[in-house]
């Protein structure tokens, strides 16, 4: 079971559980719920404990058999109905009052959360029903990142006498995932805006201005989210948030680094193709110098189609 350790992590993430549990307590009793991407069943089984009448649990991977076993071992098999498959391909026996889902990865594209939530809003939710999360805000923060410097430098030196420099340009388009330490922050977070998770987007283009703190090179952007589960109840993977969930944020390399001084500004544009997961980031300084990188140029490990 490839994802077992990942799910073990979700079962140990106190801040994440507390936020979903509190949001589910605001659910009116006797509601029908879709547990979208059920995993171990944690969120849907908690919804039952908080008064839901019935839960449909949809899980796309082979974990679905284990989700059923967990429902049975928690004596919930009569009200927790596991349906193996992708939520985007299934038709449920009936529409639901609430879709509960934790599908957000490090930033915008990982896990393809936005297409799955928009599809659930239009095909699985009753009119007037709720998505949890209902809104998501994305933000970026400038970094002076030793891990990005190392990520790019690695390809400049020969390894076992092999010159691997051609892969350096692929590393520039290959984001890292980490919990960046506060010592690497080169400014405060800047919001890229708030998206409604029920909206259908093929792609999104988000912009912001970041204000640099301190002098020195800025070689990366941290990208992260804050998702609203219910009014006033959020989860975030923002690196310095004391209540952040245990989920790494994305780190986008900027190559070459911007030589910045305190209070300089950088203009950021992020473009995401939500169905293919391609992310592009363009950053410019006041002098018009620009870095434009994309995961399209990153290392995918996929064979290049011929002919
Ligand atoms: C981040 S895990 C969360 C698991 C569980 N809900 C929890 O909170 O612990 C996401 C799960 O959703 C499943 N998944 C992703 N997209 C899905 C989809 N469109 N339909 C059904 N399952 C999906 C994945 O296989 C994975 O098990």
């Amino acid at each position: 079971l490839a994802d077992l350790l990942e799910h073990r992590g979700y079962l140990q993430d106190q801040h994440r559980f507390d936020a979903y549990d509190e949001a589910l307590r605001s659910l009116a009793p006797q509601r029908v719920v879709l547990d979208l991407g059920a995993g171990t069943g944690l969120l849907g089984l908690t919804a039952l404990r908080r008064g839901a009448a019935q839960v449909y649990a949809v899980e796309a991977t082979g974990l679905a058999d284990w989700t059923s076993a967990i429902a049975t071992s928690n004596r919930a098999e009569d009200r927790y109905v596991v349906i193996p498959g992708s939520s985007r391909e299934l038709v449920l026996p009936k529409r639901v009052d609430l879709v509960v889902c934790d599908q957000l990865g490090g930033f915008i594209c990982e896990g393809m959360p936005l297409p799955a939530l928009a599809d659930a809003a239009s095909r699985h939710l009753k009119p007037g029903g709720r998505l949890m999360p209902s809104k998501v805000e994305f933000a970026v923060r400038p970094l002076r990142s030793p891990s990005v410097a190392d990520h790019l430098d690695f390809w400049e030196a020969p390894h076992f006498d092999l010159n691997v420099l051609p892969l350096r340009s692929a590393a520039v388009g290959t984001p890292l995932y980490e919990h960046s330490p506060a010592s690497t922050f080169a400014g405060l977070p800047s919001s890229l805006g708030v998206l409604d998770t029920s909206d259908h987007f093929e792609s999104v283009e988000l912009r912001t201005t970041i204000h640099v703190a301190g002098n020195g090179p800025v070689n990366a952007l941290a990208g992260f989210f804050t998702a609203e589960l219910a009014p006033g109840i959020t989860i975030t993977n923002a690196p310095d948030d004391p209540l952040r969930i245990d989920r790494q944020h994305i780190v986008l390399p900027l190559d070459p680094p911007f030589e910045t001084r305190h209070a300089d500004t950088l203009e950021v544009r992020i473009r995401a193709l939500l169905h293919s997961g391609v992310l592009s980031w363009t950053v410019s300084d006041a002098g018009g110098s620009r870095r434009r990188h994309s995961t399209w140029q990153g290392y995918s490990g996929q064979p290049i189609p011929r002919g």
Side-chain angles (χ1 to χ4, degrees):
L1 199 54
D3 296 334
L4 184 65
L5 298 183
E6 179 188 335
H7 288 281
R8 176 182 160 140
Y10 300 139
L11 291 167
Q12 293 176 299
D13 189 339
Q14 190 72 51
H15 292 315
R16 186 185 82 110
F17 177 76
D18 287 347
Y20 274 97
D21 188 34
E22 194 185 344
L24 288 167
R25 284 173 195 267
S26 66
L27 178 67
Q30 296 303 307
R31 299 299 193 214
V32 179
V33 174
L34 168 60
D35 187 356
L36 198 173
T40 58
L42 177 67
L43 302 183
L45 290 165
T46 301
L48 275 184
R49 292 196 181 120
R50 302 296 168 232
Q54 188 183 18
V55 177
Y56 295 115
V58 175
E59 172 52 49
T61 69
L63 187 60
D65 290 342
W66 303 89
T67 316
S68 297
I70 289 172
T72 303
S73 63
N74 286 276
R75 298 197 182 86
E77 67 275 24
D78 52 336
R79 292 188 300 140
Y80 190 87
V81 180
V82 178
I83 306 176
S86 165
S87 65
R88 298 179 64 187
E89 287 155 19
L90 291 167
V91 177
L92 296 181
K94 59 182 168 196
R95 286 183 179 248
V96 301
D97 302 289
L98 173 78
V99 175
V100 63
C101 177
D102 178 14
Q103 205 62 36
L104 285 157
F107 193 42
I108 302 173
C109 295
E110 302 82 358
M112 309 266 179
L114 296 175
L117 284 162
D119 170 69
S122 55
R123 294 194 315 109
H124 300 315
L125 206 54
K126 284 181 191 166
R130 271 172 54 189
L131 288 179
M132 187 183 287
S134 54
K135 292 180 188 143
V136 57
E137 177 176 28
F138 295 104
V140 287
R141 182 167 201 164
L143 298 179
R144 300 190 171 100
S145 167
S147 43
V148 165
D150 179 62
H151 173 56
L152 301 183
D153 287 352
F154 177 85
W155 306 99
E156 290 183 4
H159 296 282
F160 301 117
D161 217 15
L162 188 70
N163 181 335
V164 289
L165 193 57
L167 274 174
R168 188 186 183 283
S169 60
V172 174
T174 303
L176 301 180
Y177 294 87
E178 66 175 19
H179 296 300
S180 298
S183 59
T184 66
F185 298 158
L188 292 172
S190 297
S191 175
L192 290 159
V194 179
L195 303 182
D196 190 321
T197 56
S198 65
D199 286 343
H200 285 262
F201 303 102
E202 287 294 317
S203 63
V204 290
E205 188 171 310
L206 308 171
R207 292 171 185 267
T208 194
T209 302
I210 53 180
H211 298 266
V212 174
N215 302 327
V218 168
N219 68 344
L221 293 178
F224 41 90
F225 66 81
T226 301
E228 183 178 283
L229 303 183
I233 305 172
T234 57
I235 54 168
T236 184
N237 66 343
D240 65 337
D241 192 305
L243 294 180
R244 77 165 161 74
I245 64 170
D246 187 13
R247 192 158 307 162
Q248 295 176 328
H249 61 81
I250 205 167
V251 179
L252 304 170
L254 298 173
D255 182 61
F258 285 94
E259 289 303 329
T260 58
R261 301 190 65 77
H262 184 70
D264 280 355
T265 58
L266 295 171
E267 298 301 320
V268 177
R269 188 185 70 159
I270 305 277
R271 187 147 193 265
L273 305 182
L274 298 177
H275 293 267
S276 62
V278 173
L279 188 76
S280 309
W281 55 105
T282 307
V283 179
S284 344
D285 66 13
S289 174
R290 199 169 76 138
R291 315 285 181 265
R292 186 158 189 269
H293 308 304
S294 167
T295 55
W296 183 248
Q297 295 149 341
Y299 174 71
S300 71
Q302 301 298 317
I304 299 167
R306 304 276 177 204

